[in-house]
């Protein structure tokens, strides 16, 4: 008899839909506007699934208008990709291309063999209290995209806290 939890016993690719969905810790960081800063001053920037030499990923504290800034959840989850065509749905098929996900992302942690963090809701009876208390989530740190002009105020909204991860 195994005493391992499903996330310890199964690979991400072997998880059921319900298990897969429960791996999301609900921190909300994936809904932040982020940009790739490049040393290359090309006029035509091409989409990529990896960071190239001379590029860095920059996060802002600006979040999707459909994000619940207190819980980190999406207020329109089932419609998110229709409402926001650029919203990336993380799947088993595109998991290898998650360079844009923060270090604390539970899918990224499992994919990289680091396991779930101690603050993950699955390890805390479904509670996000520890995650919020450790400042891993977006709670009280963001502004909705409808409240700022990123083209005019971009640099004022660049932040480093989304890269924070603990344990």
């Amino acid at each position: 008899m195994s005493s391992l939890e499903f996330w310890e016993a199964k690979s991400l690719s072997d998880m059921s839909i319900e298990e897969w969905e429960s791996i999301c810790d609900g921190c909300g960081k994936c809904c932040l506007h982020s940009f790739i800063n490049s040393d290359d001053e090309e006029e035509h920037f091409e989409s990529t699934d990896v960071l190239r030499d001379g590029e860095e990923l920059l996060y802002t504290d600006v979040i999707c208008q459909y994000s619940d800034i207190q819980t980190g959840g999406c207020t329109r989850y089932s419609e998110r990709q229709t409402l926001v065509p650029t919203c990336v749905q993380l799947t088993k098929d595109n998991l290898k291309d998650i360079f844009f996900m923060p270090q604390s992302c539970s899918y990224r942690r499992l994919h990289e063999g680091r396991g779930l963090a101690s603050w993950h809701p699955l390890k805390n009876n479904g509670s996000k209290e520890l995650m919020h208390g450790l400042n891993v989530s977006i709670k009280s740190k963001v502004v909705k995209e409808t409240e700022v002009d990123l083209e005019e105020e971009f640099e004022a909204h660049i932040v480093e806290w989304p890269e924070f991860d603990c344990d």
Side-chain angles (χ1 to χ4, degrees), residues 49-50 90-100 111:
D49 55 5
V50 295
L90 196 57
T91 68
K92 296 173 186 181
D93 293 331
N94 67 7
L95 190 59
K96 66 187 181 320
D97 305 322
I98 61 171
F99 76 90
F100 58 90
H111 181 70

Side-chain angles (χ1 to χ4, degrees), residues 99-161:
F99 76 90
F100 58 90
M101 299 297 279
Q103 293 292 322
S104 62
C105 171
S106 296
Y107 295 102
R108 183 172 185 165
R109 289 180 61 100
L110 289 177
H111 181 70
E112 294 175 351
R114 294 186 287 135
L116 289 185
S118 62
W119 47 262
H120 194 287
L122 284 173
K123 291 187 166 186
N124 292 280
N125 298 315
S127 173
K128 291 184 178 183
E129 214 171 296
L130 184 57
M131 177 178 64
H132 294 316
L134 291 171
N135 286 317
V136 179
S137 73
I138 62 158
K139 187 174 182 177
S140 303
K141 296 186 229 162
V142 296
V143 61
K144 293 224 178 179
E145 65 190 359
T146 54
E147 298 172 16
V148 297
D149 180 354
L150 268 180
E151 288 187 32
E152 295 292 321
E153 305 170 25
F154 172 75
E155 289 191 14
H157 290 280
I158 295 173
V159 292
E160 294 181 7
W161 60 259

Side-chain angles (χ1 to χ4, degrees), residues 17-34:
I17 292 171
E18 294 79 20
E19 290 168 335
W20 175 269
E21 289 288 322
S22 71
I23 293 301
C24 177
D25 50 55
C27 72
K29 291 180 187 176
C30 61
C31 300
L32 293 170
H33 286 264
S34 60

Side-chain angles (χ1 to χ4, degrees), residues 26-28 63-75 138-139 142 144:
C27 72
I63 198 153
C64 174
Q65 64 182 316
Y66 300 111
S67 294
D68 181 321
I69 60 175
Q70 292 304 307
T71 68
C74 181
T75 62
I138 62 158
K139 187 174 182 177
V142 296
K144 293 224 178 179

Side-chain angles (χ1 to χ4, degrees), residues 34-48 50-58 99 154-155 158:
S34 60
F35 301 90
I36 295 175
N37 186 29
S38 178
D39 291 340
D40 192 357
E41 306 237 354
E42 291 180 28
E43 287 185 29
H44 301 344
F45 187 77
E46 293 181 27
S47 181
T48 183
V50 295
L51 284 175
R52 296 175 280 236
D53 286 340
E55 294 179 337
E56 70 175 318
L57 185 62
L58 299 176
F99 76 90
F154 172 75
E155 289 191 14
I158 295 173

